Amino acid sequence: MESPPHPLLLLLTLLVAAGAASAGADDLVAELQSLRSRSPSGVIHLTDTSVTRFLSAPAPRPYSVLVFFDAASLHSKTDLHLPQLRREFALLSASFLTHNPASADLFFADIEFSESQHSFAQFGVNSLPHVRLVRPEHTRLAGSEQMDQSHFSRLADSMAEFVESRTGLKVGPIVRPPLVSRNQMILLVILFLVSIPFLIKRIMDGETLFHDRRVWMAGALFIYFFSVSGGMYGIIRHTPMFITDRSDPNKLVFFYQGSGMQLGAEGFAVGFLYTLVGLMIAMVTHLLVRVESQIQRFTMLAVMIIGWWAVKKVILLDNWKTGYSIHTFWPSSWR
């Protein structure tokens, strides 16, 4: 009868196996860091082979990977916004790397459909845009966590919220490139300095746009429309004009039901109705008083009907979106 292995020999074997596993994990981390350093944004490009090596390694792994699924053949479909989302994903990766240069807990990667169809099938990806978080404990790629479509609404900022809530890591502020480069700024300053004498002459002659009241009127209308339509909110929050319907990728959603998010199209629609009512009131108080009485009556009737329709649309949209209702209260003496 064969004697059982000595406890010390068994312990030594376990320690050797654990050390080999740790060394293998360290090699994977070092290789991922090397691949990340070669990418300007820190996004690692994966293929079927590298997916198997880095994401199918025995769990638990010492790192998480956020994967962006891309398809170059679908970049022409503007409703998917794949090129824009891919750029925002790169900004997310670069910002995380800027604020966490030595971090080996999270890596960012992308997979292209034409190169890695097998990986798409392993993850179970059948529609785009699609982002998955592969955590250290995930043993199956299909069991990794999918980023909800709502986290695409504010692009890199909402993606960062998803990463921070799921991994506990701090992404930091999104670092965006300046709108005007240094050379462009120098050129603009030179052009401005050259144009100063000509601007002074036109100002002295009263021939600038600032002397035209039509420009001031158009500017006032634009500021009013921009204010009531939530334009500044959209710029700060990077809200899209519309999103893709989750149930039908070929359908666009311009009005989002729920108070948690507002699309750009909703704000512009409500802003248009507000501006329409404001312009009608201005017309009644400044123009209508100068015309004949018969025309006044018909115009006032049209203004009242259109104004009632516009206000009703705003109230119905607010009720549909937030559930808030307008209640009518009659004076007690009327009851």
Side-chain angles (χ1 to χ4, degrees):
M1 182 176 178
E2 186 177 349
S3 60
H6 194 277
L8 290 178
L9 180 61
L10 182 59
L11 178 60
L12 180 62
T13 303
L14 292 175
L15 290 175
V16 171
S22 176
D26 291 341
D27 290 342
L28 291 177
V29 171
E31 192 171 346
L32 284 171
Q33 289 177 322
S34 175
L35 292 173
R36 182 174 65 183
S37 64
R38 301 174 195 171
S39 172
S41 62
V43 177
I44 302 170
H45 183 67
L46 298 179
T47 60
D48 286 339
T49 303
S50 51
V51 165
T52 302
R53 175 168 175 76
F54 296 116
L55 302 184
S56 298
R61 296 171 293 275
Y63 53 82
S64 299
V65 181
L66 190 69
V67 185
F68 181 89
F69 294 85
D70 196 8
S73 58
L74 298 179
H75 282 190
S76 58
K77 289 195 172 185
T78 56
D79 57 311
L80 296 179
H81 304 285
L82 284 179
Q84 181 189 18
L85 292 174
R86 176 60 181 80
R87 290 192 298 270
E88 292 293 316
F89 186 81
L91 281 177
L92 174 66
S93 172
S95 300
F96 178 82
L97 196 56
T98 299
H99 302 301
N100 306 274
S103 175
D105 299 321
L106 177 64
F107 295 92
F108 296 80
D110 66 352
I111 302 176
E112 210 284 319
F113 177 73
S114 62
E115 302 173 350
S116 310
Q117 296 186 27
H118 178 65
S119 296
F120 270 67
Q122 282 186 305
F123 277 98
V125 177
N126 49 30
S127 64
L128 296 177
H130 199 103
V131 174
R132 286 287 186 93
L133 176 63
V134 184
R135 295 184 182 181
E137 68 273 12
H138 286 150
T139 57
R140 295 174 54 252
L141 297 181
S144 56
E145 185 171 2
Q146 179 182 350
M147 180 186 292
D148 191 77
Q149 291 290 324
S150 62
H151 288 100
F152 295 128
S153 60
R154 292 187 291 109
L155 306 176
D157 295 279
S158 52
M159 293 184 197
E161 292 177 359
F162 171 82
V163 171
E164 291 178 348
S165 64
R166 300 305 192 275
T167 65
L169 301 173
K170 187 68 175 177
V171 175
I174 300 299
V175 181
R176 297 184 179 276
L179 296 177
V180 181
S181 66
R182 181 175 177 273
N183 292 336
Q184 291 174 331
M185 181 60 70
I186 293 174
L187 178 61
L188 290 175
V189 170
I190 293 174
L191 292 176
F192 175 73
L193 294 175
V194 171
S195 64
I196 286 178
F198 302 97
L199 291 175
I200 294 176
K201 182 179 182 303
R202 293 185 68 89
I203 292 173
M204 298 298 293
D205 295 339
E207 298 177 354
T208 67
L209 292 175
F210 298 104
H211 292 83
D212 190 344
R213 58 179 167 180
R214 291 172 297 182
V215 174
W216 288 99
M217 183 181 69
L221 286 175
F222 172 76
I223 292 174
Y224 178 79
F225 174 80
F226 188 78
S227 301
V228 298
S229 65
M232 184 56 66
Y233 172 87
I235 292 176
I236 295 174
R237 292 289 188 173
H238 304 286
T239 56
M241 288 295 296
F242 51 84
I243 58 176
T244 305
D245 193 343
R246 299 178 187 176
S247 58
D248 185 4
N250 296 319
K251 183 180 178 182
L252 300 179
V253 176
F254 294 92
F255 293 85
Y256 183 86
Q257 188 173 14
S259 58
M261 183 176 70
Q262 174 182 306
L263 299 177
E266 310 179 29
F268 286 145
V270 175
F272 167 76
L273 294 175
Y274 279 149
T275 306
L276 176 64
V277 173
L279 286 174
M280 290 192 303
I281 293 175
M283 180 188 69
V284 168
T285 56
H286 290 78
L287 299 178
L288 198 58
V289 294
R290 303 181 182 182
V291 299
E292 299 178 1
S293 59
Q294 192 68 19
I295 298 177
Q296 283 182 348
R297 293 190 182 96
F298 286 110
T299 306
M300 279 299 302
L301 181 61
V303 167
M304 292 172 62
I305 293 174
I306 297 174
W308 175 83
W309 171 83
V311 173
K312 180 182 177 183
K313 286 293 183 182
V314 172
I315 293 174
L316 290 177
L317 178 60
D318 183 62
N319 176 259
W320 171 82
K321 185 174 180 63
T322 65
Y324 177 76
S325 299
I326 301 294
H327 301 280
T328 303
F329 296 92
W330 298 102
S332 57
S333 61
W334 291 14
R335 297 175 183 174

